[in-house]
Amino acid sequence: MVGAIGFGAMSFAGFFGETDDETSFACMDALVAAGIDFWDTANVYGMGRSERVIGAYLAEKKPEIVLATKVGIDRGPPRGFNNDAAYMRRELEGSLERLGRDKVELYYIHRREQARPVEEVVETLAGFIDEGLIDGYGLSEISPTTLRRAHRVHPCRAVQNEYSLWSRQPDLGLVSACADLGVAFVPFSPLARGFLSDRSVGPDDFAEGDFRARIPRFSEPHYAENVKAVEPFRTLCRDRGWSVGAAAIAWCLDQGDHILPIPGTRTAAHLAEWADADEITFTDDDRAEMDRLLPAGWAWGDRYDDGQSIGPERYS
């Protein structure tokens, strides 16, 4: 069992602007103080940088947390996806070394290698469970059919897909499939990569190399239209006494008891804006007004560009 809100540590690798270990340590101190005890990272976040800083923190502070990391994106060159058993074992051993752990509680397939049957991949993961290297496995950016195929081989613990007020594809069967099978659904980017906040992050804020610069929703003319669309929602949040970030996370939590969002941030200050999101309770009027202001499909532009969209499974 973990807290209602988890944490995504992609920011520790500098994907959303440069950071340093001192800042990351302060953020993790704030996570522990807030009772956020489910942390999510990946082998490719900064090519191990995120795992290393988490490992250093765990070695020094020794908090009681549940860890998830991932495998499956091969940075190459060339970049691709690899779910081969030998590759996954090698990458898992590297992750455990960087994290300073004998095992991780949850190990995700970050992206599925489409040419390889998912049943074969799950058999490899089940072997890792039998060896005590992982407690359970998860899948990321998959379809409901892939989940069902995998779950028949060995029960899946969690599915992680992008899900937020502006990315709603999982409502087309994945959220419900997880509920039916007793699988946790873990929304990543519930804050729309920083857009759903009291002030929308945009192109003028991006440092060199920020991968959001490629995302169509952050490019014109889409960005200006998205800012315009979200302003009434900001007004609603101010009227209710909520921060925009906390309301956005609370919306995810409100979609089902099996949902565990993992917002991310680089700093303790930003964490404070949404750490208490699980204390927000919506009325039926709140839900109706949010649906009116931000209906499914309201966002302008795609969530990925053509290059970034290679890997996530499409099922609609």
Side-chain angles (χ1 to χ4, degrees):
M1 299 297 291
V2 294
I5 302 169
F7 176 74
M10 187 174 176
S11 296
F12 289 170
F15 277 90
F16 303 104
E18 191 51 54
T19 188
D20 54 54
D21 288 0
E22 182 179 357
T23 302
S24 296
F25 266 51
C27 185
M28 286 184 274
D29 281 341
L31 288 168
V32 172
I36 296 174
D37 57 358
F38 176 55
W39 299 1
D40 177 282
T41 184
N43 61 334
V44 293
Y45 290 170
M47 300 309 293
R49 179 179 175 185
S50 177
E51 290 180 329
R52 280 193 292 271
V53 72
I54 290 173
Y57 182 87
L58 297 179
E60 180 177 327
K61 302 294 184 78
K62 298 179 172 55
E64 294 292 327
I65 64 163
V66 173
L67 269 182
T69 192
K70 310 180 193 71
V71 68
I73 296 178
D74 187 348
R75 291 293 186 186
R79 183 182 185 275
F81 309 109
N82 192 341
N83 299 163
D84 174 74
Y87 173 80
M88 290 200 296
R89 178 177 293 276
R90 185 169 64 250
E91 291 299 311
L92 175 57
E93 290 172 352
S95 290
L96 293 175
E97 181 177 355
R98 288 186 290 272
L99 291 166
R101 285 285 204 93
D102 295 324
K103 70 171 183 178
V104 288
E105 286 78 12
L106 184 62
Y107 198 49
Y108 283 103
I109 297 300
H110 205 165
R111 294 291 186 274
R112 185 183 159 206
E113 182 188 351
Q114 292 297 319
R116 191 180 302 275
V118 71
E119 292 83 357
E120 174 190 326
V121 180
V122 174
E123 287 173 357
T124 299
L125 294 165
F128 293 161
I129 294 170
D130 291 341
E131 292 181 57
L133 298 174
I134 65 175
D135 283 344
Y137 80 91
L139 301 165
S140 179
E141 292 278 31
I142 60 154
S143 67
T145 53
T146 294
L147 170 61
R148 292 189 178 96
R149 287 174 58 188
H151 198 74
R152 282 197 292 265
V153 177
H154 191 285
C156 181
R157 285 277 184 90
V159 170
Q160 179 181 139
N161 278 43
E162 184 174 356
Y163 186 57
S164 69
L165 278 163
W166 82 347
S167 292
R168 310 275 275 273
Q169 186 189 31
D171 283 331
L172 300 176
L174 188 58
V175 173
S176 59
C178 287
D180 291 344
L181 296 173
V183 176
F185 181 70
V186 181
F188 73 82
S189 296
L191 300 177
R193 305 190 186 279
F195 183 81
L196 292 173
S197 59
D198 292 333
R199 185 191 71 83
S200 289
V201 175
D204 291 342
D205 302 297
F206 297 159
E208 184 177 355
D210 192 313
F211 91 109
R212 290 172 296 184
R214 296 172 50 193
I215 294 176
R217 290 179 180 176
F218 289 102
S219 302
E220 298 298 357
H222 304 312
Y223 178 72
E225 294 293 343
N226 285 326
V227 170
K228 187 188 308 180
V230 83
E231 279 306 321
F233 178 68
R234 285 201 177 93
T235 300
L236 170 72
C237 293
R238 285 194 295 269
D239 290 345
R240 301 295 197 276
W242 309 325
S243 74
V244 173
I249 294 169
W251 178 88
C252 288
L253 291 167
D254 197 51
Q255 306 310 302
D257 292 338
H258 65 305
I259 293 179
L260 173 59
I262 51 167
T265 182
R266 287 176 290 165
T267 68
H270 285 158
L271 172 67
E273 296 175 7
W274 48 257
D276 61 352
D278 58 318
E279 298 177 10
I280 294 176
T281 301
F282 295 134
T283 66
D284 288 342
D285 287 344
D286 293 332
R287 297 183 183 97
E289 186 64 2
M290 286 189 288
D291 286 344
R292 185 184 72 81
L293 295 174
L294 298 178
W298 66 269
W300 286 59
D302 204 346
R303 68 188 184 102
Y304 286 137
D305 70 10
D306 289 345
Q308 295 165 330
S309 64
I310 298 172
E313 292 187 341
R314 299 179 181 180
Y315 50 94
S316 60

